[in-house]
Amino acid sequence: MARIPRWLARAPIPLLRAGLGPLLSPYVLVEHLGRRTRRRRYVVLTVVLREPGAVVVAAGYGPGSQWYRNLVADPRVRLWWRHAVGVRGRAELLDAPEGTRLLERYRRLHPWRARMLARALGLDLDRPGTLEQVAARVPFVRLSSPRL
């Protein structure tokens, strides 16, 4: 998958921090700590699924993503999503079987979006085992907070 230019990926950060989350609701801003520097880091991620008190995101570039590696080291986060502004939360790294279940749910809830995404990634959702292959390569993370 082609990488999003850094300037474009970071553009929503000031908007989300300013409380304009309702305008950017498919995106969540995650503040986390650098695993070596312990400095605050920010990443804007697309919400894949909404759950009670949580949102689920995918590490689209795989487990080598810096933000993902930082969450492995320290799962404490602050979140900006919709009306929740800077709320404390926790990241839960999901295993591949749970990722497969989430993808199946996503495909059922959003069939058009799932087809478009699969086409962009060159995947055939009708081929058996496709969701399992994706879940094995793309880790999912549940970001939870009682204030979401």
Side-chain angles (χ1 to χ4, degrees), residues 30 32-35 41-43 45 57-77 91-96 135-143:
V30 181
H32 52 96
L33 294 177
R35 62 192 175 283
R41 303 292 183 199
Y42 298 90
V43 63
L45 302 167
V57 297
Y61 296 129
S65 302
Q66 295 301 316
W67 67 267
Y68 185 84
R69 293 171 64 194
N70 289 341
L71 293 183
V72 169
D74 186 349
R76 293 173 299 167
V77 296
E92 176 189 355
L93 310 174
L94 305 177
D95 60 15
R137 286 192 337 235
V138 177
F140 287 88
V141 179
R142 180 176 289 118
L143 303 168

Side-chain angles (χ1 to χ4, degrees), residues 3-22:
R3 295 231 179 235
I4 297 171
R6 185 175 171 82
W7 66 268
L8 182 60
R10 299 186 61 74
I13 291 175
L15 299 173
L16 288 161
R17 289 194 69 195
L20 298 176

Side-chain angles (χ1 to χ4, degrees), residues 2 10 27 35 40 48 73 87 91-92 94 102 112 141:
R10 299 186 61 74
Y27 300 103
R35 62 192 175 283
R40 289 184 185 141
V48 176
V87 299
E92 176 189 355
L94 305 177
L102 289 169
W112 184 81
V141 179

Side-chain angles (χ1 to χ4, degrees), residues 77-119:
V77 296
R78 285 182 59 207
L79 306 168
W80 284 259
W81 189 68
R82 291 190 179 173
H83 294 289
V85 177
V87 299
R88 293 186 191 281
R90 193 150 195 85
E92 176 189 355
L93 310 174
L94 305 177
D95 60 15
E98 177 71 9
T100 301
R101 285 190 291 278
L102 289 169
L103 285 170
E104 288 169 349
R105 187 169 150 220
Y106 180 80
R107 181 171 62 175
R108 192 176 63 253
L109 292 173
H110 309 287
W112 184 81
R113 283 190 224 161
R115 289 252 173 248
M116 294 297 290
L117 180 59
R119 204 172 293 140

Side-chain angles (χ1 to χ4, degrees), residues 46 88 94 122 124 132 136:
T46 302
R88 293 186 191 281
L94 305 177
D124 180 4
E132 290 83 356

